[in-house]
Amino acid sequence: MNSLRGITSEDLFQITWVNDPTPSPEGGQLVYVSRKTNEKRDGYSSHLRLFHLESRKDRAFTSGDKDHSPCWSPDGSQLAFLREHDGKTQVWLIASDGGEAQQISRLKHGASSLTWSPDGQTLLVKSSVDVHGETEAEADQDSKLLQELVVDRIRMKSDGGGLWNGRRTHLFNIPVDGGEATPVTSGHYDVGDYAWSPDGASIVWIAQMPEEGEEHNDYTLTNHVYLAKADGSDVQQLTPEGFTFSRLAYAPDGQSLALLASDRSYGNATLVKLYTLPISGGQPVCLSSDWDVQMNHSLVGDMRAHLTPTGPVFTRDGSSILCLATVQGSVRIARFARDGSHAEYVLPAEKEFYQFAELENGHIVAGVADTLNPGDFFLYPKLDDQGTDSVQLTHSNPQLEGEIQLSTPETFWFDTSDGLQLQGWIMKPVGAVDGVKIPTILEIHGGPHMMYGFTFMHEFQMLAAQGYAVVYTNPRGGLGYGQQFVNACRGDYGGGDYRDLMETVDYALSTYEFIDETRLGVTGGSYGGFMTNWIVGHTDRFKAAVTQRSISNWLSFYGVSDIGYFFTEDQIGGNAWDDTEKLWKHSPLAYVGNVNTPLLILHGEQDLRCPIEQAEQLYVALKRRKQTTRLVRFPGANHELSRGGHPHLRVRRLEHIAGWFNEHL
């Protein structure tokens, strides 16, 4: 008799996430971050753990409940990390053999990232700066409610950040032995990724500096890489116009950089490629030009909104660059020869590699997830050994192996009516009985330039445990299948992408006899919410639908979303005053008169990416038509609710989804 049970929404409270594998300089130890839910503040706690690679002993290393971003000193004697304490995140130090951690930064607005100088004497830290000086409202919090907000930027808000607070993100040098933080960068721009040169004499960073005579750079979607001395003087622009750079790394010999960048040849749908650039500057050289592949992590999941994926990274000998690649449902590690002579995938497919690090002996420690595991660390042999056998170092969620029965997704491929190949997956419900027809839910990812794939999806597993089959696919517009595929939905929202989803359902019905075509449901968030709204306005084949953080009206989205003014022009192909008819044609609200499907509308009240007015317009129109609908508003939740929102709201969201489908399917 099977004693295992299906997963529940509340099992989210039992999941542990591991990330930021950080080997000590000599390679014998690994510090990492362990993260779980709690009852406090944002609902998550994290601390550092120390793993001895030889003995396999694993122990808690820090005692804070908001510790993260570990970074070893060059000699391995100390570890710097970030800790939130008394409402601010600052830099702390702890000896490598343990003991009490000491706070070494007292930045006004705290720190968001850090890295050691090569000589181990200072830390380069990123922090926010009041570019116009302290306002009266900041100086006197009691008067803040009476202080008007003067806005002169088009980028006046950001999802997760709220209204612009007059701050910019800049770099500071902080002496390890104590002392004041020294500004390294300044001005009306935000610093992105950054790095020390190997000799410690200079630093590089990514930024969008405004044009001469302009205070803000809000209309610029490209940026540059800058080089300066370690104190921020003698700034040089290294890169030409026309690129959007996202990540960088210094070569060990200090002669060049590895860069992840888009040349924007297909707007927001342009694949990110891997480039190198001489430290003297010039034209970046694309190493992945022969690969029709997105060179970073672009896999959709509900487990990992809190971390930054690794890459690019030079191997220790400097001969190669390692980078994550998003391809056909997998996130893989690719290796490129620095001179462009060779490129290959080095570790297995059908997994999600989300972070990795090379040890002193050339072995690779990687954070890896798959469809049955939210993520653990695995040890792989040297890349030149051609081996893919791994040793699992951590077992972060033993309950998923010994207590809970999960559904194993089956992948499938089929040809669309216009000749594209689509990849999809189907999950049978836990405890399915042969010969019994099963209600089935179509899940649609957001983006749209993202990808479903071989990773653990709590939402999907929960629905399978509730007795549903779950079908999911990557329609045109998704990443993982080449540049033309990802570009194919621009200007055609609700066209070919809609046909892809309907043909996915047709294929599943013709292939899997257990699907009950009289009990089909559909759900998705963001772009997936847009497409859910579009579907119920164009077909009655689904008996219930749940739309999440959705778009219903491109005309209003243009002016209310934090990205509306450039995203709408790029994806739909127009603006609200010159192209009113076009934007309305692609708006699900235009077809609300056709909707007969019971529709549950879920939306976060602080969502600034797809603001809640999008949900309200749709809800009021359906109510006015006396259709079956319900609006659920999540207080304090932004666009990241399903992935990084407060765990209690995440659980309630899952319960609303399951409840709606249980009622109507």
Side-chain angles (χ1 to χ4, degrees), residues 301-368:
D302 54 9
M303 294 286 100
R304 247 174 300 290
H306 58 284
L307 61 81
T308 301
T310 305
V313 174
F314 281 90
T315 54
R316 288 180 177 269
D317 63 8
S319 65
S320 301
I321 302 168
L322 303 178
C323 186
L324 295 176
T326 296
V327 55
Q328 296 184 355
S330 301
V331 179
R332 305 191 64 179
I333 299 179
R335 177 170 61 172
F336 291 82
R338 183 174 170 181
D339 62 6
S341 62
H342 182 68
E344 62 181 342
Y345 293 116
V346 291
L347 293 176
E350 299 194 354
K351 295 181 182 296
E352 178 201 3
F353 286 85
Y354 55 92
Q355 290 175 325
F356 62 90
E358 184 185 10
L359 301 179
E360 180 68 27
N361 61 8
H363 291 241
I364 299 292
V365 173
V368 187

Side-chain angles (χ1 to χ4, degrees), residues 438-444 463 468-472 501-502 505 509 515-524 532 535-536 540-547 597-599 657 660-662 664-665:
I438 297 168
T440 300
I441 296 169
L442 173 68
E443 288 267 6
I444 309 170
L463 289 172
Y468 298 101
V470 180
V471 174
Y472 52 107
L501 291 165
M502 295 304 97
V505 174
L509 286 168
I515 295 177
D516 186 347
E517 66 176 325
T518 69
R519 290 186 293 164
L520 298 177
V522 59
T523 186
T532 299
I535 284 170
V536 297
D540 291 337
R541 74 186 303 181
F542 296 93
K543 300 308 177 187
V546 180
T547 184
T597 306
L599 181 64
I657 293 170
W660 190 259
F661 286 132
N662 290 344
H664 295 284
L665 296 187

Side-chain angles (χ1 to χ4, degrees), residues 104 234 349 463 651 664:
I104 68 163
D234 294 340
L463 289 172
V651 167
H664 295 284

